[in-house]
Amino acid sequence: MPLLNERLGIAELNPMQRKMMQSASEARDIMLLSPTGSGKTLAFILPLLKLMKPAAGRVQAVIIAPSRELVLQISGIMREIAPGYKTTPLYGGHKVEDEVNSLKAGTEIVVATPGRLLDHINRRNIDVLPTRILVLDEFDKSLELGFEKEMKKIFGRLKNVSRIMLTSATKADVLPDFLTLTDPLVLDYTERNSELRRRTRVHRVDSDANDKLETLATLLWNLASESGRYQKSIVFVNHRESAERTAAWLRRKGIPAVLYHGALDQRDRETAIAMFNNGSRPILVATDLAARGLDIEGVRNVIHYHQPLTPETYTHRNGRTARVDAEGDIYVLIGPQEDVKEYIGFDTTRYLDHDKSHDHPAIFDTIYFSAGRREKLSKGDILGFLVKEAGLNASDIGKIDVYDHYALAAVSATEATEAIKAAKGKKIKGEKRIISIIG
């Protein structure tokens, strides 16, 4: 526990995580059902580590997740609390060569999306035969996204798995034929969804027009006026084209919004989440890809620009706010000809003030560095550079994110331009790098 407290800021395990740890000693497969934001990732990582043998450069555990972001989140936590084992993430959208080189050097834990894992298996870049532990995180989502064929082929290669753990935020009606579990222990914590409901307030917001963009902007301005800044909010839409149109429209109105959907390349998706988390773009316009599996912090508001198409999607979207013990607000925009879905209930109707001030700039800008961990650049290197070479105070610098081949740093919006000028031509770790403000 001291390690968890030091590395992850967790003082103690919650009841679900403790139960999962206890269950690791039983020779049974586990199905864990628990809502988004309840600590599911740590709940399966801890028993997995308890089952691991000493590191020997061979794959002992495979964790399959439906999205790149979830793969990165899981592998990041694994690296923090299991430094004695090598963890290798495999996912689309970045250099295959980096993954191949990492696999050649040997690894104990693989965290992967189904398609990318199967590709490496077929190319014989990885030997999964020694795998004893298999985790399917958000397994229902993997099947929903059409990965069933890939999953079946992967299962055919995992001949020596003796322990399977499944996790999901919702109950699956039926499991696929290839997924056979040994005396499965079902741990159902979905009643926590009702706890989440008690910590949230659902507001109806009526729009005079079928196109609800003006209503959305007014709502965001109203919320910003109440707190003096834009509150961290996710605006959910049902289609990629709608997400692009909405994000672009909000930016033209001066609202610091960022776009997120599945058709963006990996770097754009990473950058969007980083800018949302670091406060430089506190409004995230997203499809339901952002409804679960992302490492998103401190979301105050969930805004349904479009009503969700299923009750499960409604639950997942709402689970992005009021995480752990926090409270949150949920707003559902209703057009003049819309019928409210039967699974949506309201606590209040929100009436908007159309005269609120519109001038609420973001507190931070994001600075881009053209080097990352593969170039041996660390958060400490960036912090030191920004203080020494860019003339910033430590208090002017926010969250720093370092990726394989680039890095992002949040810097006070009032200081960012001068900082870039001061840093021009300066070296970081002995090399000149491209450093710029992301527009």
Side-chain angles (χ1 to χ4, degrees):
M1 284 309 301
L3 184 64
L4 288 177
N5 192 26
E6 177 185 342
R7 293 178 179 270
L8 299 178
I10 297 172
E12 62 178 348
L13 300 181
N14 65 33
M16 176 186 69
Q17 292 161 345
R18 289 197 296 271
K19 181 62 177 176
M20 284 289 285
M21 282 288 284
Q22 294 166 6
S23 303
S25 58
E26 302 179 30
R28 303 174 67 183
D29 294 331
I30 301 172
M31 182 184 295
L32 174 62
L33 305 173
S34 186
T36 300
S38 58
K40 231 178 12 273
T41 302
L42 197 59
F44 71 72
I45 284 179
L46 292 175
L48 180 152
L49 293 176
K50 191 175 179 180
L51 295 167
M52 293 283 286
K53 294 180 178 179
R58 303 177 74 194
V59 178
Q60 296 187 46
V62 170
I63 303 170
I64 299 176
S67 70
R68 307 168 189 174
E69 288 77 12
L70 194 50
V71 165
L72 289 168
Q73 178 184 328
I74 295 167
S75 57
I77 294 174
M78 191 70 78
R79 284 167 173 162
E80 286 289 328
I81 65 174
Y85 297 102
K86 183 180 176 185
T87 299
T88 302
L90 307 175
Y91 57 94
H94 74 148
K95 292 184 178 179
V96 177
E97 293 82 1
D98 288 344
E99 294 180 351
V100 172
N101 292 335
S102 186
L103 292 171
K104 282 181 179 178
T107 190
E108 285 80 35
I109 301 168
V110 169
V111 188
T113 53
R116 192 64 157 225
L117 176 59
L118 183 60
D119 185 55
H120 281 293
I121 291 172
N122 289 338
R123 294 172 185 269
R124 299 187 177 182
N125 295 330
I126 182 174
D127 178 12
V128 295
L129 198 58
T131 304
R132 297 181 303 106
I133 308 160
L134 174 65
V135 178
L136 302 183
D137 192 25
E138 302 283 9
F139 70 92
D140 58 321
K141 189 67 174 177
S142 292
L143 300 178
E144 180 185 310
L145 292 175
F147 291 133
E148 188 165 347
K149 186 181 294 185
E150 286 92 341
M151 300 275 271
K152 185 174 183 177
K153 290 179 180 177
I154 292 168
F155 264 69
R157 303 294 187 94
L158 297 170
K159 305 288 188 183
N160 294 309
V161 168
S162 58
R163 185 65 63 88
I164 298 175
M165 287 184 267
L166 308 181
T167 82
S168 177
T170 53
K171 298 177 183 178
D173 293 331
V174 68
L175 295 177
D177 295 338
F178 62 82
L179 187 57
T180 54
L181 303 181
T182 303
D183 188 22
L185 173 64
V186 179
L187 301 178
D188 189 347
Y189 291 86
T190 51
E191 77 277 359
R192 292 194 61 179
N193 284 322
S194 60
E195 294 179 25
L196 170 66
R197 181 66 184 91
R198 288 194 292 272
R199 299 198 310 274
T200 57
R201 290 163 301 279
V202 182
H203 311 271
R204 175 175 179 141
V205 182
D206 289 304
S207 173
D208 294 334
N210 290 324
D211 188 333
K212 296 177 279 191
L213 289 173
E214 288 285 355
T215 302
L216 173 62
T218 303
L219 172 61
L220 292 170
W221 285 325
N222 278 211
L223 295 174
S225 294
E226 290 170 4
S227 59
R229 67 175 74 173
Y230 282 106
Q231 299 177 2
K232 193 175 284 188
S233 307
I234 304 180
V235 179
F236 281 108
V237 299
N238 288 343
H239 310 288
R240 293 172 181 172
E241 296 79 7
S242 300
E244 291 171 355
R245 174 174 175 262
T246 302
W249 192 91
L250 291 176
R251 285 195 292 264
R252 286 197 297 272
K253 290 288 186 178
I255 295 173
V258 67
L259 172 69
Y260 182 88
H261 62 62
L264 299 175
D265 65 33
Q266 181 61 24
R267 180 171 291 195
D268 287 341
R269 284 161 67 169
E270 288 174 347
T271 299
I273 297 304
M275 294 175 75
F276 181 62
N277 274 335
N278 71 25
S280 59
R281 295 291 185 275
I283 311 300
L284 181 71
V285 181
T287 59
D288 288 319
L289 184 63
R292 53 177 166 172
L294 291 181
D295 187 13
I296 292 176
E297 307 157 4
V299 178
R300 176 64 204 186
N301 307 301
V302 165
I303 302 171
H304 300 275
Y305 183 82
H306 291 141
Q307 293 183 67
L309 300 178
T310 67
E312 291 78 16
T313 301
Y314 184 59
T315 297
H316 288 306
R317 286 182 179 184
N318 292 346
R320 299 300 350 175
T321 188
R323 294 169 77 86
V324 191
D325 295 320
E327 294 187 347
D329 286 284
I330 295 158
Y331 298 88
V332 185
L333 276 56
I334 304 296
Q337 298 176 345
E338 275 188 272
D339 294 323
V340 178
K341 303 285 188 183
E342 67 276 5
Y343 42 82
I344 299 176
F346 299 107
D347 299 314
T348 69
T349 296
R350 172 80 188 223
Y351 298 99
L352 302 180
D353 183 346
H354 294 269
D355 297 322
K356 288 288 187 184
S357 167
H358 297 175
D359 185 20
H360 302 284
I363 296 172
F364 290 105
D365 279 332
T366 294
I367 291 181
Y368 163 86
F369 292 79
S370 65
R373 66 171 67 96
R374 296 277 178 176
E375 292 76 30
K376 309 300 182 185
L377 197 63
S378 70
K379 292 182 181 181
D381 296 327
I382 293 170
L383 179 62
F385 177 84
L386 290 173
V387 171
K388 183 179 178 182
E389 305 294 351
L392 293 170
N393 296 316
S395 59
D396 294 324
I397 303 165
K399 197 170 186 293
I400 298 172
D401 295 282
V402 181
Y403 302 94
D404 281 353
H405 297 290
Y406 73 104
L408 304 171
V411 170
S412 171
T414 58
E415 306 292 337
T417 301
E418 290 303 315
I420 290 293
K421 289 179 182 177
K424 188 174 182 180
K426 304 284 181 64
K427 294 181 179 180
I428 181 167
K429 289 201 78 171
E431 297 281 346
K432 288 185 179 180
R433 302 291 184 184
I434 296 171
I435 304 171
S436 60
I437 298 175
I438 298 180

